[in-house]
Amino acid sequence: MEDKRAKILDVAVEEFASHGYKAASTNRICEVAGVSKGLIFHYFGSKEKLYTAAVTYSVDLVMEEVSMDDMPRGNFVEGRFGRRSRNWLLVIGILLFSS
């Protein structure tokens, strides 16, 4: 079951990043993740809670990839982050500031 939850979150991150909160579609998330809408609402309860979980999931992934010792002292994004981490930071920014 955790695999399905993780799949939903992966797809939700992309959906919210691509379309913003308002235009994001739980129907598209269901279709791409290969799950029923009921399962999304079973795990998350609402679109708003799914969005919050997607942001938290993205932050957690970045924090797992970069230890505090590896955090840059200068420019936060350009420091010693790899390409994947910079991409996740961009996704987090889009999720946080999308309408």
Side-chain angles (χ1 to χ4, degrees):
M1 283 294 209
E2 282 301 307
D3 290 342
K4 287 186 180 186
R5 187 178 188 281
K7 178 66 175 175
I8 292 167
L9 285 170
D10 284 337
V11 173
V13 166
E14 294 294 327
E15 178 71 13
F16 288 122
S18 297
H19 300 284
Y21 176 78
K22 288 181 184 176
S25 167
T26 54
N27 289 331
R28 278 193 300 261
I29 294 168
C30 292
E31 185 178 320
V32 175
V35 300
S36 70
K37 198 170 201 175
L39 190 59
I40 287 178
F41 288 99
H42 168 75
Y43 281 129
F44 303 100
S46 68
K47 181 180 175 181
E48 182 179 351
K49 289 179 182 177
L50 175 59
Y51 177 80
T52 301
V55 171
T56 301
Y57 177 70
S58 296
V59 171
D60 289 347
L61 286 174
V62 169
M63 296 311 293
E64 283 177 15
E65 190 170 319
V66 181
S67 73
M68 292 305 286
D69 292 336
D70 291 334
M71 293 297 252
R73 302 291 182 248
N75 183 316
F76 182 73
V77 175
E78 292 302 322
R80 288 182 280 182
F81 287 116
R83 180 183 178 134
R84 182 171 177 207
S85 292
R86 282 194 300 271
N87 289 345
W88 275 112
L89 288 171
L90 177 61
V91 167
I92 290 167
I94 291 169
L95 286 170
L96 290 173
F97 301 108
S98 67
S99 54

